Amino acid sequence: MSAYARRRSSGVLFLLIYPFQVSLIDVSTLRPSQRPSDTHGSLSWPWLAALLPLLMGGPLIYWQAERSLEHQAQDSLRRTLTEIEQIFDYADNATREVATLIGADCRSAELTLRERSMATPFVRSLNLVTDGDIYCTSLRGPIRSPEEYERYTQGRLRLMPGNLVTPDRPLLVFRRFTDKGSVLAGIDAQYLIDALQLGGHVVPLTLEIGDYRLDADGKTLSADATRPAPIAAVSSSRYPFSLQAAPPVNGFWQFLHTQFDLMLALLLLLCVMFGGGAHWLGQRRVSPLRELRRGLKHDEFVPYFQPFVDNARNRWQGVEVLMRWQHPREGLIPPDQFIPLAETSGLIAGMTHRLMTHVVEALKPHADQLPPDFHISFNITEAHCRDQQLLEYCRQFLASFPPGRVTLVMELTERGLLVPTRETNHLFSGLRHLGVRIAIDDFGTGNASLAYLRQFPFDYLKIDRSYVDMVGRDSVSRHLLDNILDLATRLQLGIVAEGIETPEQRDYLSQRGVRYLQGYLYARPMALEPLLATLGTPPTRASLPEHAPS
Ligand code: C2E
Ligand code: CA
Ligand code: CA
């Protein structure tokens, strides 16, 4: 089935449900694929909806990330504090055990000092001090070096960037003092560095003792050196040191990105889903009526032409103008899908006017090539007859062509029954006065009675193709068709038969004196270019597949 044919079948559905669409303008029943996105107001909503999860979830994730960061920092600080206090506890024990040796001869104390330092985890050396001088060390025995006790924080801890034994490695000195002097325990700062790294690398920790700081990379800095404000800190209640947690190395956003990547991805997915959902709903909300108005405003309704023949003279007699919607996204939409709504909404009159203007623009430059007394027929409905505007349209139309060059025909469909009033009488006599011919269209499908046919001055009767279809069928069908033909003859109306597809139908109708024939057998509805080519060829030679279906 072609796209065109598919649209036709869905048009039936449209016809069945369009009354609801008129009353509930916002409830569109058009297929989603038929709804253009360029209708007002629907563009910004998807973006707003897409932003919604971000606006609501963004601050929540930010707050959650801040809390998580703080929590991680506090946790690292607590664990590292305990670890470092334990290291100092060992030094505290070892210094207590050898404090009795203060003042003793170094030669006799040296071995005990060495044994103690070797037996104590983390402690590298033990040293004895009297009178402000270190006089004995577990590493080298007797020495003489100033203690510099004033450099110890609260007289207990000293962080040294390096020392004589390991000039490139920081050293922590733990000091215990008594009345007789003091004991110093050297602790390799690597243990402290390891402890600082315990909390991982997300939140870097630093150890601060007096004037110096030691960071997790093993660097010692002056406490005054500039640094980013810590996000959390903790001080030991047992030893004079504190720990500080610096902001994440690569910044908070990097932290957010690495730690909350799943939630961010979920948020992004929600944004897409909300945006997509709003877009889809927006598309659904597009009202067909609003869309029709938009199409009219953008002049999207264009004429197609279906030529018909004068069978008696075997020549092209004229064209029926059939409206098409040249939709920017959907392509060419057939009339059954929008004409019913255009009629009930009252837009049809304006659309016909535009259509007539288009036809003038298209055919006027070719007026000379048109066969003599060329009929141009337009479809009108009862809605066109409510005022006198049509008169003006017809006057303008006829004035655009040289006098007598074309015959304007209005095909009034029988589907909506017209009630004769003063207005309609005035309109019909006005049309007649202008020389406009009137045809009753779709004859046999509606409610037209004999009286109706007499009340309006019809010139032609157009037999609906459903009757033409009956040719060659059962005898009852043929009887119906014959009756309609008889009626038209008795009313002295010109007969046009539409929907002729087979030579059999053509022959049957010709034999019964039907003069004007229209149908795919001769030509399909077509655009201007093929129409001009078709009109240049005698009707008998026109063949079915020559022109692509509209
Ligand atoms: P209609 O006035 O009965 O027009 C004839 C329809 O039959 C056209 O369909 C035409 O393409 C189709 N047709 C012609 N020959 C054959 C054939 O041999 N076989 C078959 N199967 N179909 C044939 P189209 O163009 O889709 O128009 C459908 C209806 O839409 C028209 O029926 C008419 O009622 C309405 N319409 C079209 N243009 C206008 C317009 O400008 N104004 C108004 N008010 N209605 C229009
Ligand atoms: Ca028609
Ligand atoms: Ca018809």
Side-chain angles (χ1 to χ4, degrees):
M1 202 194 271
S2 70
Y4 186 88
R6 268 202 307 278
R7 285 216 181 95
R8 267 180 180 287
S9 54
S10 71
V12 175
L13 186 69
F14 184 87
L15 273 173
L16 286 173
I17 51 186
Y18 84 86
F20 301 103
Q21 293 166 340
V22 179
S23 51
L24 297 169
I25 280 174
D26 241 20
V27 183
S28 165
T29 36
L30 276 175
R31 282 179 292 121
S33 65
Q34 276 177 241
R35 292 172 201 123
S37 57
D38 55 349
T39 38
H40 328 281
S42 61
L43 269 182
S44 49
W45 282 110
W47 290 108
L48 282 178
L51 277 178
L52 200 68
L54 204 67
L55 291 177
M56 290 175 67
L60 208 72
I61 291 187
Y62 187 91
W63 176 76
Q64 180 72 28
E66 265 191 342
R67 273 183 55 108
S68 157
L69 186 65
E70 206 183 298
H71 185 79
Q72 281 193 36
Q74 295 287 4
D75 190 55
S76 298
L77 286 172
R78 211 179 42 248
R79 282 196 295 146
T80 307
L81 186 88
T82 312
E83 186 73 17
I84 292 178
E85 281 182 344
Q86 275 175 5
I87 293 173
F88 290 164
D89 284 348
Y90 279 111
D92 191 41
N93 274 338
T95 50
R96 190 185 317 111
E97 277 170 19
V98 296
T100 49
L101 297 175
I102 300 170
D105 180 48
C106 186
R107 292 283 169 216
S108 58
E110 184 185 351
L111 192 64
T112 316
L113 287 180
R114 200 169 295 146
E115 278 173 1
R116 243 353 310 143
S117 77
M118 284 173 65
T120 311
F122 311 117
V123 172
R124 199 168 76 179
S125 68
L126 286 167
N127 312 274
L128 298 176
V129 180
T130 49
D131 302 328
D133 281 330
I134 304 169
Y135 75 92
C136 188
T137 163
S138 62
L139 290 176
R140 297 184 188 171
I143 56 158
R144 189 142 299 271
S145 170
E147 181 194 23
E148 301 175 323
Y149 67 88
E150 68 284 356
R151 303 187 87 156
Y152 286 78
T153 303
Q154 292 180 16
R156 297 179 72 191
L157 292 177
R158 181 180 178 187
L159 184 62
M160 298 169 75
N163 75 334
L164 276 175
V165 184
T166 51
D168 304 328
R169 262 222 325 261
L171 180 78
L172 190 285
V173 187
F174 183 95
R175 179 170 179 265
R176 168 181 289 277
F177 52 94
T178 65
D179 303 341
K180 292 188 278 176
S182 52
V183 183
L184 307 177
I187 297 171
D188 194 326
Q190 188 56 48
Y191 296 117
L192 303 174
I193 294 165
D194 290 348
L196 289 175
Q197 287 175 353
L198 253 183
H201 295 283
V202 178
V203 188
L205 299 186
T206 48
L207 167 69
E208 195 167 307
I209 298 173
D211 295 340
Y212 284 101
R213 274 186 293 127
L214 177 70
D215 68 17
D217 295 333
K219 285 199 290 288
T220 46
L221 297 163
S222 152
D224 308 330
T226 50
R227 60 183 155 151
I231 53 171
V234 65
S235 297
S236 169
S237 56
R238 295 166 50 209
Y239 301 102
F241 76 91
S242 65
L243 289 172
Q244 288 166 355
V249 195
N250 297 318
F252 180 74
W253 291 109
Q254 184 65 24
F255 169 79
L256 195 77
H257 180 242
T258 47
Q259 303 280 306
F260 287 81
D261 48 352
L262 248 171
M263 277 180 89
L264 286 173
L266 198 71
L267 198 65
L268 218 66
L269 191 74
L270 278 176
C271 287
V272 172
M273 280 169 64
F274 269 61
H279 180 70
W280 183 72
L281 279 176
Q283 295 262 300
R284 274 175 64 91
R285 276 212 326 271
V286 173
S287 131
L289 186 58
R290 211 184 326 154
E291 183 53 12
L292 207 63
R293 285 211 178 93
R294 192 199 57 74
L296 186 57
K297 193 171 149 208
H298 291 87
D299 211 8
E300 289 169 5
F301 300 96
V302 296
Y304 259 53
F305 306 90
Q306 187 179 27
F308 59 93
V309 296
D310 176 348
N311 198 31
R313 287 191 269 182
N314 192 33
R315 59 163 210 182
W316 293 116
Q317 180 59 52
V319 283
E320 177 179 3
V321 179
L322 294 159
M323 203 184 287
R324 299 287 181 267
W325 188 350
Q326 187 64 67
H327 198 281
R329 227 183 52 188
E330 296 297 317
L332 213 57
I333 301 179
D336 353 24
Q337 292 206 11
F338 59 88
I339 291 284
L341 183 56
E343 285 175 5
T344 48
S345 63
L347 287 180
I348 190 70
M351 288 162 76
T352 306
H353 186 208
R354 284 302 307 153
L355 192 71
M356 291 172 86
T357 314
H358 277 301
V359 172
V360 168
E361 286 162 4
L363 292 182
K364 196 179 165 183
H366 309 282
D368 290 347
Q369 301 161 36
L370 300 176
D373 185 30
F374 192 68
H375 284 49
I376 302 175
S377 64
F378 288 90
N379 288 284
I380 57 165
T381 63
E382 176 265 333
H384 288 87
C385 306
R386 290 175 197 157
D387 54 35
Q388 306 297 310
Q389 262 185 334
L390 190 65
L391 266 183
E392 188 47 38
Y393 300 160
C394 294
R395 192 175 291 124
Q396 286 171 10
F397 186 87
L398 288 168
S400 309
F401 293 93
R405 197 81 199 78
V406 299
T407 299
L408 179 58
V409 183
M410 288 291 140
E411 297 186 7
L412 175 68
T413 179
E414 197 203 272
R415 277 179 279 121
L417 196 60
L418 192 64
V419 181
T421 58
R422 268 182 43 202
E423 282 273 303
T424 53
N425 289 342
H426 186 253
L427 175 71
F428 276 80
S429 56
L431 290 173
R432 185 157 287 275
H433 185 70
L434 281 176
V436 177
R437 309 264 175 87
I438 302 164
I440 179 158
D441 199 3
D442 305 317
F443 190 75
T445 61
N447 314 303
S449 63
L450 269 177
Y452 180 73
L453 289 174
R454 286 217 190 87
Q455 272 159 354
F456 295 101
F458 291 111
D459 301 286
Y460 300 106
L461 186 148
K462 234 180 145 174
I463 304 173
D464 191 65
R465 72 163 186 272
S466 51
Y467 287 94
V468 173
D469 234 22
M470 291 174 180
V471 173
R473 298 257 178 92
D474 54 289
S475 58
V476 179
S477 300
R478 211 178 47 241
H479 201 63
L480 267 173
L481 175 62
D482 291 346
N483 269 337
I484 286 180
L485 294 174
D486 280 354
L487 180 67
T489 317
R490 251 182 272 153
L491 288 170
Q492 297 178 321
L493 299 175
I495 308 176
V496 186
E498 69 172 24
I500 297 170
E501 291 185 348
T502 65
E504 189 191 359
Q505 291 167 343
R506 177 195 60 199
D507 297 342
Y508 186 87
L509 293 161
S510 302
Q511 281 158 23
R512 274 154 190 78
V514 177
R515 178 142 180 211
Y516 303 109
L517 303 175
Q518 177 184 0
Y520 290 175
L521 181 67
Y522 298 99
R524 285 174 180 253
M526 59 187 86
L528 177 68
E529 286 298 313
L531 171 74
L532 295 174
T534 303
L535 294 180
T537 319
T540 40
R541 293 229 310 273
S543 60
L544 187 60
E546 201 170 316
H547 306 296
S550 53

